[in-house]
Amino acid sequence: MATLDDPGFAAALQKPYRPPIVAPGHTTASVTDQISAVVLQRTPKWWFFGFAGAFSLLMVFLVSVTWLFAKGVGVWGINWPIGWGFDIINFVWWIGIGHAGTLISAILLLLRQEWRTSINRFAEAMTLFAVACAGMYPVLHLGRPWLAYWLFPYPNTMNLWPQFRSPLIWDVFAVSTYATVSALFWYVGLVPDLATLRDRSRNRVAQIIYGFGAMGWRGSAAHWHNYETAYVLLAGLATPLVLSVHTVVSFDFAIGIIPGWHATIFPPYFVAGAIYAGFAMVLTLAIPLRALFNLEDFITTRHLQNMGKVMLATGLIVVYGYMSELFFAWYSGNVYEMFMAWNRVFGPYRWHWYTLLLCNAVVPQFLWLRRVRTSPLWLFVISIFVSVGMWLERFIIIVTSLHRDFLPASWGLYHGTIWDIGTFVGTIGLFLTLFFLFIRFLPAISIFEMRTIVPGSHGGEYSEVPE
Amino acid sequence: MNPKKANPMDSVNAKGKCEAAGVRPPEPARLDLAEVRERLRAKRGPEFWRSLDELAATPAFQDLLHREFPRHASEWTDGVSRRRFLQLASASLALAGLTGCTKQPVEKIIPYVRQPEQLIPGRPLYFATALTLGGYATGVLAESHQGRPTKIEGNPDHPASLGATDVFTQAAVLTLYDPERSQTILRAGRQGGTWGGFVGEAGATLRALQAINGRGLRLLTGAVTSPTLAAQIADLLRRFPEARWHRWEPAGRHQSAAAAARAFGRPLETRYDFTRARVIVTLGADVLCEGPEGVRYSRDFADGRRVRGDRQEMSRVYAVESVPSHSATVADHRLQLTPPQVEAFTLALAQRLGAAPSGGPVVSDATAVRWLEAVAQDLEQNRGASLVIAGEYASPAAQVLVHAVNQALGNVGSTVYHLEPLEADPVDHVASLRELVRDLNAGQVELLLMLDGVNPVYTAPADFGFAQALQAAQKNTVLVHHGLFDDETSEYCHWHIPAAHELESWSDARAFDGTVSLIQPLIDPLYGGKTSHEVLAALSNQPDVTSYDVVRQFWSTRLTAGGAFEAAWREALLKGLIPGTAASPTPAALAGGAVEQAAGEILAALGRVEQGQITLLFRPDPAIWDGRFASNAWLQELPKPIVKLTWDNALILSPKTAERLNVSFHETVEVSAGGRKVDAAVWILPGVAEDTALLTLGYGRKRAGKGTGQGFNAYALRTSNALWSLPAVQVRGTGGRYELACTQNHHLIRGDEVNEDALATEAAAERHVIRTGTLAELRHDRDFIQKEREKPAADDSMYPNYKYPGHAWGMAIDLNVCTGCSACVVACQSENNIPVVGKQQVLAGREMHWLRIDRYFAGDLDAPQIHHQPLPCMHCETAPCEVVCPVAATAHSDEGLNDMVYNRCVGTRYCSNNCPYKVRRFNFLRYSDKDTPVLALVNNPDVTVRMRGVMEKCTYCVQRIEQAKIESKVEHKPIAANQVQTACQQVCPTRAIVFGDINDPQWDVTRWKADPLNYGLLEEINTRPRTTYLAKLRNPNPLLEPAEGAEHGHA
Amino acid sequence: MQIFHRSTNTVAKVSIFGSIFFLAFFGWVYSTLLRSSYVTGQYVVKKQPVPFSHDHHVRGLGIDCRYCHTSVEKSSFAGIPPTETCMNCHRQIWTNADLLEPVRASYRDGLPLQWTRIHDLPDFVYFNHSVHIAKGIGCATCHGRVDKMPLMFQDASLQMEWCLSCHRDPVKNVRPRQEIFNMSWQPPADPQQAKALQARLAKEYDIHSLTSCSTCHR
Amino acid sequence: MSALQHPPGRPPIYGLMAEFNSVTDLIAACRSIHDAGYTRVDAFTPYPSEEVAEALGHHRSKLPGIVLAGGLLGGIGGYLLQYWTSVIVYPMNIGGRPFHSWPAFIVPTFECTILGAALSAVLGMFFLNGLPQPYHPVFNVPRFALASRDRYFLVVEAQDPKFDPQATRQFLFDLHASEVSDVAH
């Protein structure tokens, strides 16, 4: 685990423009008590309101999906030539959001960015729930969803198997692996904290439930020894995985021959976009969360600042992606590519494109200012913009590429319907519902990792080694 | 809602729906959301659901639905019971699969009691019969599966068909089964009338009339060429000397008949022989794929245009017209003039060729003058081998002049010939109908019998006021209507007798050349319809005589060619026609003074024309003709050639005129003339002349099954003196909006449509979608089409190529002769059980046609060239669709077919997204109607009926391929060259489509593909399409288009 | 302090380990169910208007298949005999057997008999009898020893894997054309001879493996 | 060493538990007790501490080996599945691509590798730690609940050959244990 490797770094921490990652005065005991209190104390009122809201959105999802199953995907706005609409847009959007979680918990871990410690837990939860939402769409978008299991390789009486050249099958493998690994990673991280809750709670039922989850964890040196190894290995595995997942998602388009899809820049550009969107979502969640649970001590402006920086960086990569797409189109001299580019900028969906630029390219530039980076409100607003922008990006990629492809005679137009919107809003409901349950019943911040970074604690290898 | 009647076609509109349920449509009560909520409040549990269903079934709700959520209206059409909804709710809760293992339901198998001989269960039978349009017959072979007709093919032995058919003939089977057809005899608009009752009442009236020689007995029919029917009527008239027989054929050849009467003194019918014509000039005429002889003409015309291998000759075609016609899309030169200018040009041409007295500079416009000279020279150089056609729509005067021109050019007898009228007892329909109206108003009609679906209330000229006349006559006249549908006319009648469809009838009729064709039934009348023969027989006190007896009895005396009647009769039935009954050409001399008078008339008319006046043209609708096919969903959903509208007609204007009138797509206007007015929605079509508007007949019907309420009624403006062209109409925007469903571009981008036409035209050009060139270019360099665009090498791939050692199926389409008639589209729909989706779904961009015909403009959009491109599946060898399918639901067969396996498809739509040609079609909702049992009968049993949520597309009619392979294996002999024909190929009047084994040089397709004109669409992206195109060639006149300046390549 | 009892250790470990076996078992149940006669309808005798015995008519009386299934060589559909065919004989024999009353009634009233379908492929599968016969596949190969079925039942699973098992390697089921309607025909006992015969026939009848989708699905 | 093994001959108590206030004391204690030759000793900390592990003589974990094996298994299995199904079971002409389109098979192979590795990492970890083990004698000591907060514990099992109730207890106090208590079975 990461913290102050060298005094210079530690000193740097003290500089005013670098607020600490934990407020001064905390001890292992205080961290433990304060974080576990969030779970063990009585439920705050606002939680019920929040949950009720989220749950009603979830019901919207239920209704939309039922109507969808009753009637078929025709209730959506899709047609030919535009065979994919909100369904795949949302799929890519959610998957993208998921990425930040894994990035924070795995990649930053390997990079020893200790500031990740206080946000990785709920970032991972966010990943999990985002992937859950994303995972719905590949099923929902099917014309015959009840046959979704045909996408998995299983022996059957038809002697038929999936067609492994299809990017959709790659998706199945990538997304299900991603979901599994994220879940494992998350759970493994939880085990010691579940033990803590088990030991803290005075309520028999809670003890049993947490105790069950803790599997009898007792923090023995031998346990920690294997545990650390496993945790680092998982991080090492999750890192290439997370990069591969959005690469594979981008293959859905890059493998296609449609102008606007068939581009080699897609994988890096998608991954960057995913992290961009993901951090935006982390901020959207973290900022209210720290306020509501008074966790400012643990999620400090330092964290917000750093996430702002990451957004700025990835945002610029994404913008580079847009520009290079246009450049390639022009440079290729290919009539289809050139028309595609022209159509994005001047076609019927031009306003989507301009809004996209506003949200993803213009607004984030404010992050250059420290005052903005350190202001929760500003960051919150910007992250909302980015989420919208990233949704629009997927809309542009899918819809504007399909609606005017090769043969002018088969051009079309696409509008979402109320059911498209219902499904989208519905999955947001699902996401929030799960998130509310999570923050209520599980420690939103990794307790045992916090213990390692409170000043004075002799966390693992970082305590001064006696000669 | 009412799941029983759930039917994609019903989704079209509310009235259509409740009529289907057998209810008279009340004026739809207004209903708004608030009221709906009101009704639903307080309801709980089951009764909530019941009331919801009831509510959904009410027309008011349907209206509301269509008003508030047009997009979602069609979702209501298949029923979801409460239980089902809850099941789904729970299923979707768990996102659980509905079923893992599929269990076959128990099915019954029902053999015959006595099996008909010559019937082999599971094998279709073909019967030669005929179908008529406007009284004229086209010979067909009807395919019958265990006694139910499923498909119509042309009869190769029949002169009007030669194996091909038009759209109407293809769609006939659907009309046969149409559940909207009238099914019971109606007495005073109510059910419960009986045949006996009718015979009794009519008989009584007749007996009363007997005394006064039948004065007051009136018969109204369409054009009749049927010898048997004519004989029956003649017999009736003999028994009732004072009786009158009136005729009204809404889209008949009235002006041609009038012109002939003026030119030759009698209403001769004019026919053309395109095989001998080297130069063809059409003056506002559309001779190809229009009317009963269109199919035959198209074939002959195409043969004169086909350039293949060493045959590098083609006829030259000039089209002078106001609205784009089929023939113009394949012409070498097209001159776009306003209707009066066309008349002027005709006169000027006649003058230039010395066929008419000169006088007055009638044509001043520079282009027109250049044209005049060029055309005239060309004609003079091809005396006797040229052909000038005015057609029915030109004024009688203009037609007289054209008769004179052809005479002057010595074409009569070689490319033009005349026949004595084929109609029995020819009369002037307009006059005949006027007389009837007069007598109705005068109360001199006792019994009016309207036979065989004639629908004057809807189709009669507006100035006749036929409806009022009937209304007035109702008191003291017995009004009898006999037809397929309970329509506008039957509403006024005391009796409505359901008619038997031609596929249910014994009868006969004459083809365009006079050949008598026998009509035999393939199935007993489904809805207890009666034929005209039976109705007439009933009036002759033989109510129980069947039409079989009548027809057979009629021919028994005449058909003794081979001596023995039986043999001759059998042979005639087998062939579908009676040999040697074709009419022979008759000599015709121009009546003196006719020409001078005609010229004078035209000059006078030209004098009356004022600048900027809009001329409204009426034309039969290319999809539903004069309105008789309004209830046929296949035809309603058929994208009209050139305009590409479905389900509606529209007031069609040129871009400039629309701009001047400040109206645009989907906007409603009021069209008025002479105190009559009609509201219509505007459609802008490049290729229409300025100051010209076009409104096709057949729409705006009140009682026409599925056609009810669609489009705008042109008849309301059509008067007896302006049958086809109404000068000086006022067009005024009314600010309303009416969504028109167009299948090409125009997916409701408000404002942008015109730009989109321009954009599409430009894009099509730079993408070389349609490759064109001139005959000169071809002669100069055989491979100029190949050089137009570089194509990837055969081995241009990182993977090795597949080998197709056995058969390798492929298709080639000759753009040079495709007239866009769309018969192939309907044939495909009929052969492959393609569902109809309804207007709302077309608006949503979800039409299902496997084969579509793309229409492209080229050049200046104010006077564009128009190209058609039939687009089936390309069956690419490196199919992009297959690679992306996650479940291998589409894969290549070992003969190179791009198979689509519906039952494996899970519906990701990825294949469609990745198809560069966008030929794949998806069942977004449940489109196939499985709730109307009778509609199941029209299905081809050899093709799976697709369910909701699966992708489908052109299969090259794989069922036909497999059938041929199986036969060859069973009979132990190889498949003969050209033995396998796809439905689109078989029906094509111009033989523009050829299919077959590209490995075998014996097949035509192999030769076509070897042709230097052969190119693959988008071949540069290396999809290696098995369907290829032959470039479109023109043979321009150097005088009009200097060869060097000929802009070639893309259109 | 202690929350769980000692035993929970064992319970926990066993249940985790056992879940693997449970999944395996579940999978086995599923795949057996899919192939069970409950799903396939194999070996199930269905109720018929008349308890017609192929055993009696084919083995007992030696009537050829084609006497009733007339179109089997010409059409996709083998053909179910019209009532007439039954009456050809039963006009003379068993003329008043109660069992045959439905047949006589049908003949009298012209109302067809309604048999329950035994071999019922899904509507999206297009099977053709004539070509299989032309290629030397015997009736018994798919329908089993019909001559030993007092009451008709479905002998093969008719599942896609079953069709494929032959379409991938048709040679093993070829027999001489003249033996097609012979229920009791067996390939030569000696495997070498059998192989040789089948190889010869496969060549003679020009038999290939056909596994393209459109061979059966259209 | 693993807490899985249970003593054949059953001593009266499971062992002795010493409590320390700081991790440094614990580390020191571990070193001394390890040097003193005790073998059945385990330490408990609220967060991972490498020194404690080293002090008790824990060295390389077996886990990486297991993970490698799992990864390889997943990867090879994944590729074979694809090869078998698309080349052997039902070869189809998909868009003119060869049956064995290895470039396309790489992606699922990769994902399977990760999946196999990750699963074996987690299951391996639990297995090596002898989890799940909801019941354990140490929980019998009430103060042990603080092991997940801010206290540090050292347990010497009665099984240990060098174990002696009095001597060991004294020894632990000498190592500055703030408290030493018996651990019941």
Side-chain angles (χ1 to χ4, degrees), chain A residues 139 142 144-158 160-164 169 172-173, chain B residues 99-102 885-889 901-908 947 950, chain C residues 30 34 124 160:
Chain A
V139 178
L142 293 180
R144 304 199 290 170
W146 51 93
L147 295 179
Y149 62 95
W150 281 0
L151 274 73
F152 291 91
Y154 73 101
N156 56 55
T157 60
M158 304 172 288
L160 286 174
W161 294 83
Q163 202 277 96
F164 288 100
I169 287 298
V172 170
F173 277 77
Chain B
T99 163
C101 44
T102 54
C885 176
V887 291
V901 193
Y902 314 118
N903 43 302
R904 176 67 175 171
C905 179
V906 294
T908 67
M947 75 178 300
V950 303
Chain C
Y30 182 73
L34 274 188
F124 48 74
M160 185 166 165

Side-chain angles (χ1 to χ4, degrees), chain B residues 925-954:
Chain B
L925 296 170
R926 196 188 65 172
Y927 291 142
S928 307
D929 180 0
K930 298 191 175 135
D931 297 327
T932 319
V934 68
L935 285 177
L937 299 178
V938 77
N939 286 337
N940 178 352
D942 298 331
V943 177
T944 311
V945 174
R946 281 78 62 187
M947 75 178 300
R948 174 244 281 193
V950 303
M951 190 61 70
E952 57 184 73
K953 66 158 193 67
C954 159

Side-chain angles (χ1 to χ4, degrees), chain A residues 66-67 69-71 74 76 78-79 83-84 87 141 143-144 149 163 166 252 256-258 336 405-406 408-409, chain B residues 75 78 92 100 745 767 844 846 854 883-886 903 905-910 913-914 918 924 947-948 1020:
Chain A
T66 309
W67 187 247
F69 282 8
K71 294 301 178 182
W76 290 340
I78 47 176
N79 54 31
W84 286 345
D87 44 7
H141 97 289
R144 304 199 290 170
Y149 62 95
Q163 202 277 96
S166 166
D252 288 350
I257 63 172
I258 301 300
Y336 308 108
D405 65 348
F406 293 92
Chain B
E75 292 161 22
D78 67 296
S92 47
N745 310 344
R767 296 169 183 205
R846 298 170 178 178
D854 288 346
V883 187
V884 296
C885 176
N903 43 302
C905 179
V906 294
T908 67
R909 305 182 295 289
Y910 199 173
N913 289 346
N914 209 33
K918 289 289 174 287
F924 289 93
M947 75 178 300
R948 174 244 281 193
E1020 66 271 22

Side-chain angles (χ1 to χ4, degrees), chain A residues 31-32 34-36 38-39 116-123 189-190 193 197 289-290 293-300 303 438-439 442-451 453:
Chain A
V31 202
T32 310
Q34 192 174 342
I35 302 179
S36 47
V38 171
V39 178
R116 68 176 270 288
T117 313
S118 51
I119 53 172
N120 68 338
R121 170 65 46 74
F122 74 83
L190 265 171
D193 287 358
L197 293 172
L289 192 65
R290 69 199 277 271
F293 283 122
N294 330 315
L295 296 174
E296 286 88 349
D297 286 2
F298 308 134
I299 306 175
T300 65
H303 298 96
F438 160 71
I439 57 176
L442 291 172
I445 296 178
S446 170
I447 305 173
F448 85 93
E449 289 181 275
M450 288 306 286
R451 293 197 198 105
I453 60 169

Side-chain angles (χ1 to χ4, degrees), chain B residues 637 834-835 837 846-850 921-923 927 952:
Chain B
E637 197 153 300
I834 297 172
V837 299
R846 298 170 178 178
E847 61 272 16
M848 294 297 283
H849 299 119
W850 284 3
R921 298 289 175 269
F922 188 68
N923 293 269
Y927 291 142
E952 57 184 73

Side-chain angles (χ1 to χ4, degrees), chain A residues 304-305 308-309 312 363-375 378-379 382:
Chain A
L304 305 185
Q305 241 189 62
K309 288 177 187 164
L312 186 53
V363 173
Q365 299 314 316
F366 287 101
L367 291 168
W368 288 107
L369 310 171
R370 178 143 39 83
R371 197 152 24 75
V372 174
R373 283 206 305 276
T374 50
S375 141
W378 267 96
L379 284 170
I382 291 178

